[in-house]
Amino acid sequence: LTLTKTFPVTCLVDDWFVHKASFPARLCYLYVVMQASKPKYYFAWTLADAVNNAAGFGFSGVDKNGNFCWDLLSNLNIWKIETATSFKMYLENWNIQTATWLKCVCYERVPWYPTVLTFILSALWHGVYPGYYFTFLTGILVTLAARAVRNNYRHYFLSSRALKAVYDAGTWAITQLAVSYTVAPFVMLAVEPTISLYKSMYFYLHIISLLIILFLPMKPQAHTQRRPQTVNSINKRKTD
């Protein structure tokens, strides 16, 4: 609550931010503003997890040490979100149940462009605000670019712990800044403030992502289309 009052989203379209602040200051300020926007989601989903667990819906069984597990319906992992070193890792731990649903109904079923179509479906599922579409269309570019960089360069940093630590620190910072840039329209919702923000940031992430996609070799994405399960198909498999 304190951060939200001190760094409201409206600051991103203020005259100081758009015309006077330096580019590094804008990057840092955008990161802080987006950090201030997260706790409401953390609170809502954690409360929902608690309600589900109180009703017994979150019980997932007993682990090998005999401890009861209550993570069946967990919707986020705050630690992994805040320490994510890739766009993929960030998304996998944010709104987990919706991501699982999108993976089941779209990503594993479509025969081509699964990443693109899943992001588009996610935008449609969220609603009609233009900011959602700015976020998810930008997310497509960032995801494809991040995948290309990871496939082409990550193996160079795995030869020693020191290099791996440098790689993790660098990718953490890049991931957090990229997420802040990508999700800002999701919070701002409208077209005009979104365009104003991206103009002030020189569309830097869009341009960098496009250049990476165009000039870095892209490895073919392993994708196996999964046939939807129905009651009849499950019963037939049991019979067989």
Side-chain angles (χ1 to χ4, degrees):
L1 289 174
T2 302
L3 279 176
T4 303
K5 289 181 179 180
T6 309
F7 301 98
V9 177
T10 53
C11 290
L12 299 179
V13 292
D14 284 350
D15 182 69
W16 172 82
F17 183 90
V18 174
H19 300 293
K20 299 177 182 177
S22 64
F23 185 72
R26 290 172 189 167
L27 287 177
C28 295
Y29 205 77
L30 176 61
Y31 172 73
V32 174
V33 170
M34 290 299 103
Q35 286 294 101
S37 301
K38 288 182 187 177
K40 62 183 178 183
Y41 298 101
Y42 289 171
F43 176 81
W45 286 332
T46 302
L47 181 61
D49 289 352
V51 172
N52 285 323
N53 287 344
F57 298 139
F59 181 67
S60 59
V62 182
D63 65 14
K64 60 183 180 181
N65 298 319
N67 299 316
F68 295 108
C69 299
W70 292 88
D71 58 355
L72 182 63
L73 296 180
S74 294
N75 210 38
L76 80 164
N77 186 317
I78 296 174
W79 175 253
K80 288 185 178 180
I81 288 171
E82 297 300 340
T83 59
T85 56
S86 70
F87 206 74
K88 180 177 181 291
M89 180 180 174
Y90 196 104
L91 295 179
E92 285 178 346
N93 292 283
W94 176 275
N95 205 355
I96 296 170
Q97 301 304 323
T98 298
T100 301
W101 174 76
L102 288 167
K103 181 179 180 181
C104 176
V105 303
C106 183
Y107 188 86
E108 293 180 340
R109 297 188 184 196
V110 295
W112 30 262
Y113 303 121
T115 299
V116 174
L117 292 176
T118 303
F119 270 103
I120 292 173
L121 176 60
S122 183
L124 292 169
W125 179 83
H126 275 86
V128 297
Y129 285 108
Y132 297 156
Y133 297 87
F134 277 102
T135 286
F136 289 107
L137 292 175
T138 303
I140 294 171
L141 294 177
V142 176
T143 299
L144 296 176
R147 185 180 297 157
V149 171
R150 181 182 177 87
N151 289 339
N152 282 279
Y153 294 108
R154 184 174 183 270
H155 58 278
Y156 293 119
F157 294 88
L158 301 180
S159 58
S160 69
R161 287 187 177 182
L163 280 176
K164 181 63 165 55
V166 171
Y167 177 85
D168 287 342
T171 51
W172 172 83
I174 292 169
T175 297
Q176 298 301 321
L177 292 176
V179 169
S180 299
Y181 179 96
T182 303
V183 303
F186 191 97
V187 179
M188 302 173 81
L189 298 177
V191 173
E192 188 175 348
T194 297
I195 296 297
S196 175
L197 171 66
Y198 280 164
K199 278 186 177 179
S200 70
M201 307 292 288
Y202 312 113
F203 291 91
Y204 84 95
L205 193 58
H206 290 90
I207 295 170
I208 291 173
S209 297
L210 281 171
L211 291 175
I212 289 172
I213 293 168
L214 288 173
F215 294 106
L216 275 186
M218 301 281 288
K219 292 184 179 179
Q221 184 180 352
H223 177 64
T224 304
Q225 186 179 2
R226 190 184 72 174
R227 296 182 63 183
Q229 290 188 348
T230 64
V231 174
N232 290 335
S233 65
I234 293 172
N235 290 336
K236 184 177 184 301
R237 190 163 62 247
K238 286 181 180 179
T239 303
D240 295 341

